[in-house]
Amino acid sequence: MASDRPDNSGGVHASSTGVGEADRVRQSLRRLPSVEWLRQHATIAQQYVGEVKDQDPRLAQFAREALANARAAIRRGEPLPAREELIVVVRARLREAQAPYLREVINATGVIAHTNLGRAPVSERALQQMIAVARGYSNLEYDLAEGARGSRLTGTRRALCELTGAEDALVVNNNAAAVLLTLAALAAGQEVIVSRGELVEIGGGFRIPEVLAQSGAHLVEVGATNKTHLRDYTAAITPATAAILSVHPSNFRIIGFTERPDLAQISRIAHEAGLLHLHDLGSGATFGTEQWGLAHEPTVQESIAAGVDITCFSGDKLLGGPQAGVVVGRHAQLARLERHPLMRALRSDKLTLAALEVTLRQHLSGAAQREIPVARMIATSLDELAARARRWAQEFKALGLSATVEQGESTVGGGSLPGETLPTMLCVVHENERAPDVAALAAHLRVATPSVIGRTLRARLLLDPRTVFPEQDALLFQVVREYL
Ligand SMILES: *Cc1c(COP(=O)(O)O)cnc(C)c1O
C-alpha cells in the first residue's frame, strides 16, 4: 500500500545491464503513488491564508498525466521521482490550466497606444466606474427621473456634444463599425466619392474600399495618389452620389508633390450639391498634439467646425478611453444611423459606455493630462523619464547587469502621427557575464508574471519608462531579479 507521506527515496538509478534494469523498472513503477493519492495531495495548497483545498475537477486528469509521464521516464532509464516532485508537477499544471490566457503586461516598448498590447489603458476613474456598473445593476436603459425606459447613449451623447461641439453623437463597438454603420445608413445603393490618396488600409484588415463595398455603397475614386483637386470631386458628382468621404491617412504620410483641398472646401462643394460630407478621422484627437512638439493631429472639433456632417473616430486611440467607435454630427443623419438594423449588432456594452463617459468627462474637466494614461504618457517630461531610467539602470547594475541610460524615441502608436516621435530616455541592458544573451533575457521577461515587453536591438534590450506606470517599477525589478 502506498505510504501516506511523500516518499523522497526516489533515485534508484539505472544500471546498464538487462536483468538488473528490468527489476529496477518494475520496482520503481510499483512504488509510484496511485492517481487518487496524488490527486488528494495535490488538492491541498499552502497559501498565505493557510491550507486551502482546491476543488478543480481536472486534478485527477493532471495526476493521471503526471504519473503516465513518470512511468515513461522510468522506462527510459530515469530514476523514480520523489512524491513531492509529482505534487509540484500537478500543481504547476493546475496553475497553468487556471491562469487566464489574456493577462496584464508591462509595456516598456515606448509605443503608447500599442495596437498589439491593448491600445489605450483606461484611466483609474474610468476603471472604477466600470467596476461599479459591472458589479450590480445600473440605469443603462432606464430614465431615473421619468421612471421609464431610457437610452443607453444618454450619458456619452451629452459628454460628446459638450466636448466636440457636435449637434448629436452615438457610440458603437469600434471605429470600423462607426464607418460601416455610417455608410450603410446614409449611402447604401448610392455613390460615395473618395480621393485615391485616402483609400487607406488600417492594421488588421480595415480597408476603405472593402468597408464601402460591405456597406452597400459604391466607391467612386477621384484624383491621384499624391494629388486630388477640388474639381476632381466636383466632376465626379452624379445624381446617384450620396456623399463625399474624407479619410484621415492615419498611419502613413505622403510627402513631396502633394495636394488635397482642406475639409471646409470639400464640405462647401458637398453641401452646394446637396450631398453629405463624411469624415473618418481615425484617432480622434480632442486636444492639440503640437503642444508636445508633435505634428498637429487633426481634431474632432476642427472637423465639425469645417462643416463636416458626420465624423467617426476611435475611443481608444488619442482619446485614451475604452475600445469604441464614436460618431458625431448632425442630428437628422444620426437618427438614421440609430434606426438602422446594424446599430443593434454594433452597439457598445455597458462597461464600455461607463468607461467612455468618464473618460470624456475627464477631458472636459481639464483632468486628462493628469489622469488619462495616454495623455499623461505623451505629456511626461524628459527630466522625469531620465530620473526613472537612471533608477532602473542603478537597480539593474546592483543585480550584476550591464545597464546604461541613453536617449531614444517613444511613439504615440495606434495608427496616429506616423513618423512622429517623442524624445525619451531609455534604460539599455547590454550583454555581460550575468546576462550573456539579451534575446534570452527578453524572452524570459515576455513570459514572466507579469510579462515585460521591451525592444531588442543589436544585442541590447531597450526599456522605455514612458509607457511603464511608475507603480510597475517594483514588479519590473522583481521579474528581472527572478531571471538572474
Ligand atoms: C484606427 C482607424 C480605424 C479603425 O478604428 P478601430 O477603432 O480600430 O476600429 C479606421 N479608420 C482610420 C482612419 C483609423 O485611423
Side-chain angles (χ1 to χ4, degrees):
M1 214 180 98
S3 141
D4 220 35
R5 273 175 298 123
D7 180 351
N8 290 308
S9 66
V12 181
H13 287 282
S15 79
S16 49
T17 52
V19 176
E21 172 62 11
D23 268 359
R24 184 202 66 84
V25 167
R26 215 174 307 115
Q27 269 187 26
S28 293
L29 291 176
R30 216 177 300 125
R31 289 170 67 187
L32 280 172
S34 67
V35 170
E36 181 52 19
W37 183 94
L38 185 54
R39 187 193 69 76
Q40 275 192 23
H41 283 75
T43 297
I44 300 159
Q46 284 294 336
Q47 304 207 334
Y48 56 93
V49 285
E51 274 190 359
V52 296
K53 284 228 172 212
D54 218 311
Q55 303 294 352
D56 197 306
R58 293 166 296 182
L59 270 165
Q61 177 202 331
F62 299 154
R64 246 188 314 276
E65 283 167 12
L67 289 167
N69 289 339
R71 275 193 294 274
I74 288 167
R75 291 200 181 97
R76 278 197 309 270
E78 286 175 37
L80 174 69
R83 293 188 168 200
E84 289 291 10
E85 264 173 57
L86 292 169
I87 293 171
V88 167
V89 167
V90 175
R91 297 255 3 132
R93 180 73 183 84
L94 181 70
R95 255 199 316 281
E96 186 189 290
Q98 289 180 341
Y101 173 81
L102 179 62
R103 62 201 184 117
E104 171 194 12
V105 311
I106 294 178
N107 173 13
T109 64
V111 182
I112 296 173
H114 197 304
T115 303
N116 301 143
L117 302 183
R119 241 145 75 173
V122 298
S123 71
E124 188 57 35
R125 219 185 267 272
L127 176 68
Q128 291 308 323
Q129 190 64 8
M130 285 172 106
I131 292 172
V133 165
R135 185 174 278 144
Y137 299 99
S138 62
N139 61 337
L140 181 66
E141 292 186 350
Y142 188 67
D143 184 324
L144 295 171
E146 298 290 324
R149 197 194 151 92
S151 161
R152 64 171 55 216
L153 292 175
T154 303
T156 42
R157 175 179 281 131
R158 272 189 202 146
L160 280 164
C161 291
E162 197 181 335
L163 183 64
T164 65
E167 230 174 77
D168 199 358
L170 64 79
V171 179
V172 287
N173 182 51
N174 55 16
N175 190 31
V179 176
L180 176 66
L181 175 64
T182 299
L183 292 167
L186 304 178
Q190 294 172 278
E191 291 174 359
V192 174
I193 303 170
V194 188
S195 157
R196 288 200 171 88
E198 298 179 2
L199 293 172
V200 308
E201 172 175 320
I202 308 296
F206 176 93
R207 284 178 162 182
I208 290 292
E210 289 166 12
V211 174
L212 255 155
Q214 199 61 44
S215 74
H218 305 299
L219 170 63
V220 176
E221 301 177 22
V222 296
T225 307
N226 56 332
K227 282 204 174 204
T228 300
H229 305 284
L230 213 50
R231 62 174 182 275
D232 295 323
Y233 287 107
T234 329
I237 296 172
T238 74
T241 311
I244 298 175
L245 172 65
S246 294
V247 182
H248 178 46
S250 311
N251 52 4
F252 67 98
R253 196 188 279 160
I254 298 178
I255 53 167
F257 189 58
T258 66
E259 183 174 325
R260 57 196 285 228
D262 64 36
L263 279 179
Q265 290 173 310
I266 300 174
S267 278
R268 192 169 40 75
I269 60 156
H271 294 154
E272 278 169 11
L275 308 175
L276 294 169
H277 185 197
L278 316 174
H279 190 193
D280 176 7
L281 187 52
S283 81
T286 55
F287 48 79
T289 46
E290 62 279 6
Q291 60 187 301
W292 297 293
L294 294 165
H296 177 74
E297 177 77 12
T299 68
V300 184
Q301 293 90 325
E302 286 161 3
S303 179
I304 289 163
V308 171
D309 299 289
I310 299 284
T311 302
C312 303
F313 58 96
S314 294
D316 56 343
K317 289 181 178 173
L318 282 171
L319 197 69
Q323 179 192 301
V326 176
V327 188
V328 295
R330 304 216 186 275
H331 174 70
Q333 276 75 42
L334 285 185
R336 286 168 64 192
L337 266 64
E338 226 175 330
R339 282 195 307 268
H340 194 277
L342 270 178
M343 180 65 201
R344 174 60 193 245
L346 302 177
R347 74 181 185 181
S348 288
D349 81 311
K350 60 186 178 179
L351 303 187
T352 300
L353 295 170
L356 183 62
E357 185 186 346
V358 168
T359 306
L360 294 165
R361 291 187 184 289
Q362 288 173 298
H363 281 285
L364 281 166
S365 70
Q369 277 185 47
R370 273 193 321 279
E371 297 183 0
I372 296 178
V374 168
R376 195 176 57 215
M377 286 169 180
I378 293 176
T380 308
S381 75
L382 202 55
D383 283 351
E384 198 178 314
L385 294 166
R388 282 183 63 213
R390 272 197 301 274
R391 193 146 29 82
W392 290 10
Q394 269 164 19
E395 191 78 25
F396 295 155
K397 277 190 258 182
L399 296 171
L401 293 173
S402 163
T404 54
V405 175
E406 291 175 27
Q407 282 205 359
E409 287 168 342
S410 318
T411 56
V412 175
S416 58
L417 297 164
E420 292 286 312
T421 57
L422 291 157
T424 193
M425 295 304 278
L426 303 167
C427 174
V428 181
V429 180
H430 309 262
E431 293 183 342
N432 71 353
E433 54 291 346
R434 262 342 269 287
D437 181 2
V438 154
L441 172 63
H444 166 84
L445 296 184
R446 278 202 311 274
V447 298
T449 308
S451 300
V452 176
I453 319 286
R455 278 184 286 163
T456 44
L457 189 69
R458 281 179 253 113
R460 301 175 329 144
L461 176 63
L462 315 184
L463 301 170
D464 189 338
R466 187 187 294 276
T467 47
V468 177
F469 293 82
E471 58 270 24
Q472 293 176 325
D473 283 4
L475 282 169
L476 171 65
F477 303 152
Q478 185 192 314
V479 165
V480 173
R481 211 174 299 125
E482 278 163 14
Y483 172 73
L484 300 169

